Amino acid sequence: MKPTVHDIARIAGVSLATVDRVLNGRPGVRGVTREKVEKAIASLGYVRDLAAANLAKGRTYRFTFILPSNDNSFMIGLGREVEAAMQRSSVERTRIEILRVPAFDAPALVAALEAVGSAPPDGVALVAIDEPGVRAAVEKLAEAGIAVVTLVSDLSGSARHHYAGIDNIAAGRTAANLMGRFLSKVDGRVGVLAGSMMVRDHRERLEGFLSVLSEDFPQVAILPVMEARDDAAAAEALVREALRRHVGLNGIYSLGAGNRGLIRALREVAPEKRPVVIAHELTHSTREALLDGMIDAVLNQDAGHEVRSAIRVLKAKADGLPVLAAQERIRIDIFLKDNLP
């Protein structure tokens, strides 16, 4: 049975009115009494109904999402999830706006963050670029009391308050284990297709990938990273050239986007000569490629979960409440053609 405010009042030895004041952050409660109520809340595991509390206070949260604008299927899907949250705004008492900036453009991202600071919302969620100017802009927002959540790509060591995304080092390690097992004991070469080493998620995936291959599959050689900036045409050209130059190319790890171009290049290769391919994000293109045998495995993250998590965290930070780490953990899904949802 869920604990109630009556249970809190009984354990803390206070009135229901006092519990209500503490739960809703109202004045008129002595520090010692407030501490007793907070301890009772913690011991009971009472979960505050923020929606009801804020409905009573007439509060509406203002959040800004800063997203990259490019032809990246996953980022397009992420934007749709934010738009879906905007449709729920009247129920969830939020007012959300989306700012779009060119992908991998640090100055444009800094300018967007500074623009947000001129009319501060309650919180900001952004797909981060790991660059000093971005860190400084995030720090200014945090100093101004604005909650900041990074999405998909983190800015660890910065003043951001939370990261909503998968463990990208673990994702890279998982990809390497899959690659090594698919290749078995072949003394082969593997190409890595990335978007940009400017973003932490791509660097961390590469780090995890290289560490496992060097430790557990030393017979596999890694070719220089191909950076396509998540552009399908650039990815197609880079992969086509790699396949031409490296006849013994046994595997490709696509750790970013641009997979439509990768798939077009793979269609030019005879089925018996195609490399093992592991990619990220289950999109229409990667789903079809799994079914067609162009891609062997896809690592996926739930964009909807990430957006909902970011909103929950921004609300909690705005209210000065703790974040429930277990609820906000984003899992890594592994899809083969046999277990597609």
Side-chain angles (χ1 to χ4, degrees):
M1 191 172 182
K2 291 182 179 180
T4 67
V5 291
H6 294 273
D7 297 320
I8 297 170
R10 176 175 52 79
I11 291 177
V14 299
S15 68
L16 287 173
T18 298
V19 173
D20 179 72
R21 289 192 189 96
V22 173
L23 285 173
N24 292 292
R26 288 196 285 268
V29 182
R30 290 188 305 159
V32 173
T33 303
R34 186 178 297 277
E35 185 176 342
K36 287 168 58 179
V37 173
E38 292 286 359
K39 283 184 178 179
I41 290 170
S43 67
L44 288 166
Y46 178 83
V47 178
R48 310 176 200 217
D49 188 347
L50 292 179
N54 286 313
L55 180 63
K57 292 186 286 186
R59 175 169 190 178
T60 297
Y61 298 94
R62 291 180 54 243
F63 299 139
T64 298
F65 279 73
I66 306 177
L67 306 177
S69 58
N70 62 357
D71 192 28
N72 178 329
S73 297
F74 177 77
M75 290 300 173
I76 291 170
L78 188 73
R80 287 177 182 150
E81 293 294 344
V82 179
E83 290 166 359
M86 294 168 72
Q87 297 299 315
R88 302 190 299 268
S89 58
S90 60
V91 176
E92 298 180 355
R93 301 196 65 81
T94 57
R95 191 161 75 247
I96 298 172
E97 70 167 342
I98 301 175
L99 297 180
R100 299 191 185 274
V101 298
F104 310 119
D105 189 333
L109 180 55
V110 170
L113 290 166
E114 290 175 346
V116 164
S118 64
D122 295 300
V124 174
L126 71 148
V127 178
I129 297 173
D130 196 355
E131 190 271 341
V134 176
R135 287 175 173 272
V138 166
E139 186 170 352
K140 285 182 182 178
L141 291 179
E143 287 175 351
I146 301 170
V148 180
V149 171
T150 52
L151 280 167
V152 184
S153 186
D154 197 11
L155 202 60
S156 61
S158 71
R160 63 96 172 118
H161 298 92
H162 185 78
Y163 164 59
I166 60 173
D167 180 335
N168 284 296
I169 291 179
R173 292 181 64 87
T174 301
N177 263 302
L178 289 170
M179 183 67 75
R181 293 172 190 276
F182 280 134
L183 292 178
S184 187
K185 299 299 181 181
V186 174
D187 293 337
R189 288 181 287 184
V190 171
V192 176
L193 179 64
S196 171
M197 291 296 102
M198 289 178 63
V199 289
R200 182 173 288 271
D201 58 330
H202 290 196
R203 292 206 308 272
E204 288 182 340
R205 290 173 189 178
L206 179 62
E207 177 186 339
F209 188 73
L210 294 178
S211 66
V212 168
L213 284 186
S214 63
E215 294 166 10
D216 299 339
F217 306 98
Q219 76 280 4
V220 177
I222 306 297
L223 299 176
V225 176
M226 300 174 282
E227 292 186 59
R229 298 182 68 83
D230 287 353
D231 179 79
E236 181 179 2
L238 287 168
V239 172
R240 184 181 289 117
E241 176 63 13
L243 290 167
R244 185 189 67 79
R245 292 181 58 192
H246 306 287
V247 178
L249 185 59
N250 302 95
I252 296 176
Y253 174 36
S254 177
L255 56 78
N259 287 317
R260 292 194 302 277
L262 164 66
I263 294 164
R264 288 196 295 266
L266 291 172
R267 291 194 185 280
E268 299 174 2
V269 182
E272 67 276 8
K273 294 183 179 180
R274 281 179 194 146
V276 170
V277 178
I278 298 170
H280 276 262
E281 315 315 346
L282 188 63
T283 64
H284 175 75
S285 297
T286 55
R287 173 188 289 272
E288 292 300 312
L290 274 172
L291 293 171
D292 292 345
M294 300 288 168
I295 291 178
D296 296 273
V298 170
L299 306 183
N300 188 62
Q301 56 188 317
D302 187 332
H305 188 181
E306 289 172 346
V307 170
R308 293 189 297 273
S309 176
I311 292 171
R312 282 194 299 266
V313 170
L314 290 174
K315 283 183 176 179
K317 292 299 180 182
D319 289 321
L321 298 176
V323 173
L324 300 177
Q327 184 180 23
E328 309 311 337
R329 186 173 297 112
I330 310 296
R331 71 184 186 187
I332 302 168
D333 293 315
I334 303 173
F335 291 113
L336 311 177
K337 68 177 181 179
D338 308 292
N339 69 332
L340 285 170

